Amino acid sequence: MTAVMVTGGMGVIGSLISRELVAQGTRTIVFGRHEDRTLIKRIADSIQIITGNILDLQHLLRIIQTNKVQRIIHAAACLSQQAQKEPFNGFQINVDGTVNVLEAARLTGIERVVFASSKAVYQRPTGKHAHPACEPITEDYPKEPDTVYGASKLFGEYMGLNYLKIYGLDFVALRFGSTYSYGKLTGRHGFAGIPAMIENAARGEPTRIPHRGDRKDDMVYSKDAARAAVLACFADNPRSRIYHIGTGKGTSLSDLAAVLKKCFPKAVIEFGQGPDASDRGRHFIFDIRRAQVELGYKPQYDLEAGVRDYIAEMTEAGG
């Protein structure tokens, strides 16, 4: 049985990756800095949980060798807001940590590393790719990150591609769109974004957003992102190495509000007329054809299905 280690495997997307691996019968080693079983309770008895720091190369090597790890899905990261608030710490975790994972993989003969990247690597959308036309971008769209998080993710991609070129390390990077799922209430949109809208509606609390809700983005449910990571882990001969993971469709906050009103008719969601400065202006629709052809990726959740599953996960967790 193949053994896969998921770094950040107790986080929001990492936990869903771990759940997907377990569902497929894969021996799963979940690696995280601190043990937090909140999002992995249902699979805790089916995985091996190891705590440690990705900045400790020797510890990584011992874990990989002791547990006979064959593949790694690297989802551990200092997330966007925290990295911007503490750039030195964000750089260490996202850059030094990623290089440690790549070096440990090289030294132990790991079969493949899958790296969780982000739309934050791109320059802000312009022309036909910007609102309101929102034509999909391909993976060749210009890169110009202006955040610590975006810069660190692009650096991780480049290092992975160089480990592939220099050492032959099998490396794949996935650029996720705007992911959402239960557990991701982070406040990154200024009003806590998609999760706040869903959770407020479910709890009967109002959501008031100071800007318009018509700007479209590629909102991908995190279970689809997790499934894509597992597909990338086992795909035969992924030629392109860099892939968009999204829905390939534009969805606005107004669209989300309409779905929530359908689920919760009494939900109060109000939009203002102010400028939308959320997510530093990176609202994209992804061209996902490369992932469809080379990884066999196909989103399983449309917006309504994602919202309903989110609510089910929230209810099960007692949220």
Side-chain angles (χ1 to χ4, degrees):
M1 182 186 297
T2 302
V4 177
M5 183 170 78
V6 184
T7 69
M10 288 174 278
V12 177
I13 292 181
S15 64
L16 294 173
I17 293 170
S18 300
R19 283 164 57 175
E20 181 73 17
L21 287 167
V22 169
Q24 295 192 14
T26 303
R27 187 162 71 85
T28 306
I29 297 94
V30 171
F31 180 84
R33 188 168 185 176
H34 307 288
E35 184 170 332
D36 180 356
R37 301 191 178 204
T38 304
L39 299 176
I40 56 168
K41 287 185 289 187
R42 70 178 65 176
I43 61 166
D45 293 336
S46 302
I47 60 178
Q48 184 171 357
I49 300 172
I50 299 175
T51 58
N53 193 331
I54 58 173
L55 298 179
D56 187 341
L57 177 59
Q58 294 306 313
H59 186 49
L60 278 174
L61 289 169
R62 287 194 298 272
I63 290 168
I64 292 169
Q65 292 168 333
T66 301
N67 294 280
K68 297 180 172 57
V69 173
Q70 294 161 281
R71 299 183 182 224
I72 297 173
I73 300 176
H74 179 39
C78 181
L79 298 180
S80 184
Q81 280 194 333
Q82 192 63 31
Q84 200 65 21
K85 183 179 178 181
E86 301 177 3
F88 181 75
N89 186 52
F91 178 91
Q92 282 194 308
I93 294 171
N94 293 356
V95 175
D96 292 347
T98 296
V99 173
N100 276 351
V101 170
L102 294 170
E103 182 68 1
R106 176 185 77 85
L107 292 172
T108 56
I110 288 293
E111 295 172 4
R112 178 172 296 164
V113 174
V114 177
F115 175 60
S117 189
S118 167
K119 68 174 185 176
V121 303
Y122 291 116
Q123 71 174 32
R124 300 186 187 195
T126 59
K128 64 183 181 181
H129 302 294
H131 179 77
C134 298
E135 290 190 18
I137 65 167
T138 68
E139 289 85 349
D140 297 324
Y141 192 74
K143 268 64 72 178
E144 191 179 309
D146 60 2
T147 63
V148 173
Y149 182 75
S152 68
K153 285 297 182 180
L154 186 57
F155 187 91
E157 290 184 12
Y158 285 154
M159 286 301 293
L161 292 173
N162 273 284
Y163 265 73
L164 170 64
K165 179 170 65 175
I166 298 167
Y167 301 115
L169 176 66
D170 197 337
F171 174 83
V172 173
L174 305 179
R175 293 179 186 149
F176 295 134
S178 293
T179 59
Y180 68 99
S181 58
Y182 180 68
K184 201 179 181 185
L185 192 52
T186 62
R188 67 183 182 131
H189 289 275
F191 61 94
I194 303 167
M197 288 180 66
I198 297 172
E199 295 187 27
N200 286 349
R203 293 170 179 154
E205 299 173 2
T207 298
R208 294 182 174 89
I209 300 166
H211 54 77
R212 294 167 58 91
D214 58 347
R215 181 174 289 185
K216 293 187 179 295
D217 200 5
D218 201 324
M219 300 181 189
V220 57
Y221 193 49
S222 295
K223 286 188 179 180
D224 277 330
R227 182 171 174 272
V230 175
L231 286 170
C233 188
F234 294 104
D236 293 331
N237 190 30
R239 299 185 306 277
S240 302
R241 302 293 170 176
I242 307 287
Y243 300 91
H244 279 164
I245 303 301
T247 64
K249 300 177 181 179
T251 304
S252 69
L253 294 181
S254 294
D255 294 331
L256 175 59
V259 168
L260 289 171
K261 286 278 192 178
K262 185 176 179 180
C263 297
F264 305 101
K266 295 183 179 180
V268 176
I269 303 170
E270 299 174 353
F271 295 96
Q273 296 299 317
D276 183 359
S278 66
D279 208 21
R280 295 185 176 268
R282 282 174 174 77
H283 292 75
F284 295 108
I285 314 303
F286 276 173
D287 183 327
I288 61 171
R289 288 176 294 179
R290 181 186 291 181
Q292 289 174 318
V293 172
E294 296 188 27
L295 304 181
Y297 168 70
K298 182 179 180 181
Q300 302 297 304
Y301 294 86
D302 62 13
L303 182 61
E304 183 172 341
V307 167
R308 291 190 182 279
D309 191 78
Y310 186 121
I311 294 164
E313 292 277 349
M314 178 181 170
T315 301
E316 182 178 334

